[in-house]
Amino acid sequence: MTLNDTLRIVIVGHVDHGKSTLIGRLFYDTGSLPVERYREIERTCREQGREFEFAYLMDALQEEREQNITIDTAQCFFRTAKRPYIIIDAPGHKEFLKNMVTGAAAADAAILLVDGAEGVREQTRRHAYILSLLGLRQVAVAINKLDLAGYLRDRFHAVEEEIRRFLHSVGIVPSYVIPISAKEGDNIASSSPRMAWYHGPTLLSALDSFLPAREVTGLPLRFPVQDVYVWDRKRICAGRVESGTVRPGDRVVFSPSGKSSRVRSVEKWNHPSLSVASAGECVGITLVDELFLERGEVMGSADDAPLGVQELSASLFWLGNEPLRLNGRYVLKLATAEDEVTLSAITERINSSTLEVIERHAERVENLEVANVTFTLSRPIAADTFEENPHLGRFVVEVGGFVAGGGIIREVRTEGIGVRARVIRLHSRTMTEPDGNFVDLSQEAGPVEFDLSPGFIDRLGKGERLAIRLRTADQLEKIARLAFGHDLAFEFRRDGEGAKVVLFRVAPSRAPVLDDAGPVI
């Protein structure tokens, strides 16, 4: 196994819901902690007259890390039979939120921890919302401390329903919801006989099923230029391939400058002639033409380059000590680019734990609030919407050289052409639920167009139905046009959660066949 096999996970949840205990248990159950160290901590607890708890393992390891003794000073590791893992550690609540928002942790997946006895709390909701802003879609929910709830199935299902409902509201479908007791070791590494009613995977099995984020395929080429070097009489564009692939001979375009050329070579140190570079690889690119490029340019394929945008609308999480203010000037960083921007609109201020709208068309955003905002840029910058490409759809905002917030891009506007309608491929957004296929558009803003794959239309023809939660009447109009164009029927409904459309296909009725004796059915 190599570093490329490593999965990076972040563990989030409300204070006292068992994060330290779970981490200690993961170390112990995977044999990633020397037995001698475990025995030493156990002996110390006994000498101090207190019961041993796995949370003490994490406390001891944290102390060692701060003193640079045994554990790697930057990361916590454990290992299963499949691969190594890195637990992203972020001590302190506010610092923890900052690490999540800035993306410094760069997690591939998350464990959302919920106390089964206490239920979903404020920090649970806030952390879940941040996971959605970071685009983490591989989420395992661990409902912990079920030993305190008597391992009752009804209690597990009640908490499961509550957290699923909230996660759906922020666009996350959890991959697994697992009942555990980190203290007792139930359903961590092996199935628990005390919860025989649960037939799903253990927590470690669930993690082993996840993929590193870099393995996501189907995204277009995005290569932000980090620097340009002149070496051996050639100009080398250095950077990391964020998505897609690049090969010698490819025709490429740089945004926002619009300069174009063809790739001469793809290189690494001591490997001057690579046949291809893929997402996650740091490489140097040389071009057929001598282009004068700067840090912040983004290379894309000639037929699918990112736009050079002048204005962007975003969902943002604010961590600044001072409020984010309308018409204020800030520094926005996206990939390797940075630009001075003006906050030109605050469409909505939102409570980050309840998702309730505090104020519309506001003048400011306070600490730990979420907002839907619009930034006007001083010069064009290469960007995608988060839905199109998360790697170029996420940004941070700096104040005085410090990160004060971050978020994801919902819409982009280019100079002189207005708003670009984003194409939402409904088949790729479909969640499968007990009641059928479901797409949630309640958080989508701005102009959109809809598309359905031929394969999914065939499924509708065989009796499947697709429920779509709407945000605006414009979306309803676009859905109606889609139904008309594909010979589909739809029903419009309202329930306690808002407006919804159900798409389906009506089976053609058979015309009666007449003979001399009358109709034959």
Side-chain angles (χ1 to χ4, degrees):
M1 290 182 287
T2 67
L3 185 61
N4 288 334
D5 300 314
T6 303
L7 193 85
R8 298 159 296 181
I9 62 171
V10 61
I11 302 177
V12 302
H14 192 77
V15 62
D16 294 331
H17 279 199
K19 176 189 169 189
S20 293
T21 302
L22 176 59
I23 293 175
R25 173 63 75 172
L26 289 172
F27 286 151
Y28 181 75
D29 283 4
T30 58
S32 303
L33 183 79
V35 174
E36 297 79 11
R37 192 71 186 94
Y38 170 77
R39 298 301 179 198
E40 180 184 342
I41 298 170
E42 188 178 44
R43 184 175 60 255
T44 300
C45 290
R46 188 167 55 250
E47 291 172 353
Q48 294 176 353
R50 58 180 180 175
E51 183 183 357
F52 173 84
E53 290 190 15
F54 279 96
Y56 299 151
L57 290 178
M58 187 59 192
D59 294 340
L61 293 174
Q62 178 66 30
E63 182 179 344
E64 288 180 348
R65 287 174 53 194
E66 290 173 353
Q67 297 177 24
N68 296 338
I69 299 177
T70 58
I71 296 290
D72 183 287
T73 58
Q75 299 151 332
C76 297
F77 294 89
F78 70 93
R79 181 185 296 267
T80 67
K82 181 175 180 178
R83 63 180 165 215
Y85 286 83
I86 294 174
I87 298 177
I88 296 158
D89 185 27
H93 299 300
K94 192 164 185 178
E95 291 79 6
F96 183 45
L97 291 176
K98 279 195 174 184
N99 280 349
M100 293 180 66
V101 172
T102 61
D108 299 305
I111 298 173
L112 177 60
L113 204 59
V114 185
D115 187 324
E118 195 171 84
V120 177
R121 302 300 297 273
E122 179 183 11
Q123 282 278 66
T124 315
R125 297 186 181 94
R126 184 170 289 144
H127 288 177
Y129 191 87
I130 295 173
L131 292 181
S132 73
L133 287 184
L134 291 177
L136 283 171
R137 293 296 179 259
Q138 297 184 124
V139 178
V141 177
I143 298 182
N144 191 25
K145 301 188 181 182
L146 281 180
D147 52 306
L148 301 181
Y151 298 103
L152 294 176
R153 175 169 51 183
D154 289 347
R155 179 57 187 165
F156 167 71
H157 286 317
V159 179
E160 177 188 25
E161 182 179 353
E162 184 181 9
I163 189 60
R164 280 189 184 275
R165 188 183 309 117
F166 184 83
L167 290 175
H168 284 184
S169 72
V170 297
I172 294 178
V173 180
S175 303
Y176 308 96
V177 181
I178 305 168
I180 69 167
S181 169
K183 179 180 179 181
E184 303 297 333
D186 295 284
N187 288 334
I188 304 296
S190 58
S191 297
S192 169
R194 290 178 284 206
M195 288 182 280
W197 43 264
Y198 171 71
H199 304 292
T202 64
L203 185 59
L204 285 172
S205 295
L207 293 177
D208 277 347
S209 73
F210 289 151
L211 295 174
R214 58 187 170 275
E215 294 185 13
V216 175
T217 59
L219 296 176
L221 171 64
R222 295 293 184 263
F223 178 82
V225 176
Q226 185 168 346
D227 213 335
V228 179
Y229 302 98
V230 178
W231 178 264
D232 195 22
R233 292 184 295 179
K234 58 184 178 182
R235 300 177 67 85
I236 303 174
C237 299
R240 183 175 66 186
V241 181
E242 294 294 341
S243 63
T245 57
V246 58
R247 295 176 172 83
D250 285 353
R251 171 65 66 178
V252 294
V253 172
F254 290 85
S255 297
S257 68
K259 297 174 181 178
S260 63
S261 184
R262 193 176 295 277
V263 175
R264 181 191 298 275
S265 67
V266 180
E267 306 180 3
K268 284 185 179 179
W269 184 254
N270 288 332
H271 295 281
S273 183
L274 297 177
S275 60
V276 63
S278 302
E281 293 190 74
C282 296
V283 296
I285 303 292
T286 68
L287 304 168
V288 172
D289 304 292
E290 187 172 330
L291 301 182
F292 292 91
L293 302 166
E294 297 179 344
R295 175 183 172 89
E297 293 271 0
V298 177
M299 184 178 76
S301 61
D303 57 353
D304 195 356
L307 290 176
V309 306
Q310 198 73 51
E311 188 176 77
L312 58 87
S313 295
S315 294
L316 172 141
F317 194 99
W318 188 245
L319 292 163
N321 294 324
E322 295 296 322
L324 178 74
R325 298 187 184 278
L326 186 66
N327 298 320
R329 300 184 72 82
Y330 301 92
V331 174
L332 183 143
K333 290 190 172 183
L334 194 162
T336 59
E338 63 178 77
D339 192 17
E340 187 174 78
V341 299
T342 300
L343 182 64
S344 50
I346 304 174
T347 310
E348 293 175 327
R349 283 175 62 202
I350 301 170
N351 183 304
S352 60
S353 59
T354 66
L355 300 189
E356 295 177 354
V357 175
I358 302 170
E359 182 182 8
R360 301 186 193 277
H361 307 294
E363 297 287 326
R364 72 194 190 286
V365 180
E366 300 288 353
N367 177 258
L368 297 185
E369 290 181 347
V370 173
N372 292 321
V373 301
T374 299
F375 288 108
T376 301
L377 286 73
S378 60
R379 57 187 176 85
I381 194 172
D384 291 314
T385 64
F386 181 80
E387 187 65 33
E388 291 172 323
N389 194 327
H391 299 280
L392 217 63
R394 189 183 298 142
F395 65 91
V396 297
V397 176
E398 282 192 353
V399 176
F402 295 95
V403 171
I408 58 176
I409 300 172
R410 299 293 190 183
E411 303 171 33
V412 295
R413 300 176 180 87
T414 57
E415 190 173 14
I417 65 171
V419 182
R420 180 177 65 163
R422 183 161 56 84
V423 176
I424 293 179
R425 294 171 176 83
L426 294 172
H427 49 277
S428 66
R429 295 278 297 273
T430 299
M431 299 178 284
T432 302
E433 298 192 335
D435 296 333
N437 303 302
F438 177 72
V439 174
D440 188 358
L441 302 178
S442 61
Q443 302 299 312
E444 296 291 341
V448 293
E449 299 288 346
F450 298 116
D451 184 34
L452 271 178
S453 70
F456 198 88
I457 292 173
D458 289 342
R459 288 166 55 184
L460 295 179
K462 295 176 182 177
E464 291 192 37
R465 300 164 77 88
L466 175 63
I468 305 168
R469 178 75 62 193
L470 302 176
R471 175 169 179 163
T472 66
D474 289 341
Q475 292 175 346
L476 175 60
E477 178 185 349
K478 298 295 176 61
I479 292 292
R481 291 178 181 275
L482 179 74
F484 184 85
H486 291 286
D487 194 26
L488 300 173
F490 69 90
E491 297 175 353
F492 176 74
R493 305 173 183 173
R494 286 189 182 275
D495 55 26
E497 298 182 10
K500 182 169 69 174
V501 164
V502 179
L503 278 176
F504 57 96
R505 173 162 284 166
V506 178
S509 58
R510 294 173 55 194
V513 178
L514 300 177
D515 63 12
D516 293 341
V520 177
I521 303 299

